[in-house]
Amino acid sequence: MAETKTFEDLGALRASEPAAAPIYAQKLDALGRAYATGKRKNAVARVWLKPGVGKISVNAKDYEQYFARPVLQMLLKQPLEAANRLSQFDVTATVSGGGLSGQAGAVRHGISKALTYYEPELRPVLKKGGFLTRDSRVVERKKYGKVKARRSFQFSKR
């Protein structure tokens, strides 16, 4: 049978070794680029980050041409501005699925993850800004007997 332990024995086990913080290492491919996948709603973005002059291209177009709304352009630049790296990296992204808003969120998530892979010391700054968290909200499925996910058919007394 197993030997019985007292609370003092268990306390000694816990106090013996404090848990060390995880150490993040730089992850680069053979060409010196950081690669990350960003997701938002149904959109998936593949993002490559390399040192450069600050050029951002999405699906082989300039990001200002692909995302015409200023709000979406601002969304893309947020992680680079938070890390003060706006003119230091070139970003190449291919994005598919979803609408423009979801695609912009996916590219933002991918840029944030790629920045942490290229410079692991930027992780606390980006984590504090909420850029590394994957927004898991997706469209609720339609249920049977309903018009939409929750909307019921219009009630008529006669």
Side-chain angles (χ1 to χ4, degrees), residues 75-87:
L75 205 68
L76 247 62
K77 295 188 286 186
Q78 278 180 338
L80 294 167
E81 288 172 349
N84 289 330
R85 304 287 192 273
L86 196 57
S87 60

Side-chain angles (χ1 to χ4, degrees), residues 37-102:
T37 304
K39 294 182 180 182
R40 169 83 167 91
K41 293 186 177 179
N42 276 341
V44 179
R46 299 182 301 158
V47 177
W48 289 269
L49 191 82
K50 64 179 182 179
V53 294
K55 185 173 177 285
I56 302 174
S57 64
V58 179
N59 288 353
K61 292 182 183 177
D62 189 46
Y63 80 101
E64 292 172 347
Q65 185 182 2
Y66 192 83
F67 296 112
R69 295 202 318 243
V71 174
L72 300 180
Q73 296 172 14
M74 177 202 66
L75 205 68
L76 247 62
K77 295 188 286 186
Q78 278 180 338
L80 294 167
E81 288 172 349
N84 289 330
R85 304 287 192 273
L86 196 57
S87 60
Q88 295 180 14
F89 290 106
D90 285 346
V91 177
T92 306
T94 58
V95 63
S96 63
L100 282 179
S101 177

Side-chain angles (χ1 to χ4, degrees), residues 89-140:
F89 290 106
D90 285 346
V91 177
T92 306
T94 58
V95 63
S96 63
L100 282 179
S101 177
Q103 288 184 351
V107 173
R108 178 181 108 158
H109 185 227
I111 289 172
S112 306
K113 283 174 63 176
L115 272 171
T116 60
Y117 292 155
Y118 199 90
E119 291 186 52
E121 59 270 8
L122 291 177
R123 186 172 174 82
V125 175
L126 295 171
K127 187 79 171 163
K128 187 170 187 274
F131 300 119
L132 296 177
T133 306
R134 197 267 202 227
D135 191 353
S136 60
R137 295 176 295 169
V138 292
V139 178
E140 188 176 351

Side-chain angles (χ1 to χ4, degrees), residues 7-23:
F7 286 118
E8 289 80 22
D9 295 338
L10 294 174
L13 287 173
R14 188 180 62 110
S16 63
E17 200 172 306
I23 298 170

Side-chain angles (χ1 to χ4, degrees), residues 153-158:
F153 292 103
Q154 183 169 349
F155 175 74
S156 175
K157 200 171 217 180
R158 307 189 210 309

Side-chain angles (χ1 to χ4, degrees), residues 17-29:
E17 200 172 306
I23 298 170
Y24 296 100
Q26 189 180 43
K27 297 180 188 173
L28 300 179
D29 64 3

